[in-house]
Amino acid sequence: MAKRTLLLAAMFAIADQIVKQLVISFVKPVYTVTVINGLFDLDYVQNRGAAFGILEQHRWIFISGTIIAIILFVIFLFKTNIKSKLFMLSASLIVGGGIGNLIDRIY
């Protein structure tokens, strides 16, 4: 089950990077794209820190923290024998999102 979870996480990380590249290509140049007029807009905003931009100049904290969190989560996945599909999906989203954010922080 852990191998499937990691495969799904890799797929989510790839999808994350594709969506981010699409946003950079299509939303960044205009900064706002209206999806539903008066209800739903996409605005391009960069946040190089944590919540509200705190610790913006300390990228290494986020890189090392993310690496440690991903490693611990993967170890947990292999040490436990949880068979829940909901857990597998949730773990895949967490690890995939962490990998996507790690890629962004490194580059």
Side-chain angles (χ1 to χ4, degrees), residues 16-75:
D16 175 75
Q17 292 301 302
I18 290 169
V19 169
K20 287 175 185 171
Q21 288 306 311
L22 289 171
V23 168
I24 289 169
S25 297
F26 295 106
V27 180
K28 183 179 180 182
V30 294
Y31 287 100
T32 298
V33 173
T34 300
V35 179
I36 301 173
N37 195 20
L39 181 64
F40 183 54
D41 295 334
L42 295 176
D43 295 326
Y44 181 80
V45 179
Q46 284 188 330
N47 179 8
R48 297 182 192 277
F52 308 108
I54 61 173
L55 299 173
E56 187 172 334
Q57 301 301 319
H58 296 86
R59 185 175 85 154
W60 61 272
I61 293 173
F62 300 112
I63 291 172
S64 57
T66 302
I67 290 170
I68 291 167
I70 290 170
I71 289 170
L72 290 174
F73 208 91
V74 169
I75 290 169

Side-chain angles (χ1 to χ4, degrees), residues 71-101:
I71 289 170
L72 290 174
F73 208 91
V74 169
I75 290 169
F76 173 77
L77 286 174
F78 280 97
K79 294 256 182 209
T80 61
N81 195 20
I82 299 173
K83 304 236 188 247
S84 165
K85 288 182 182 179
L86 180 59
F87 176 79
M88 183 180 90
L89 178 62
S90 302
S92 298
L93 287 167
I94 291 168
V95 173
I99 292 168
N101 288 343

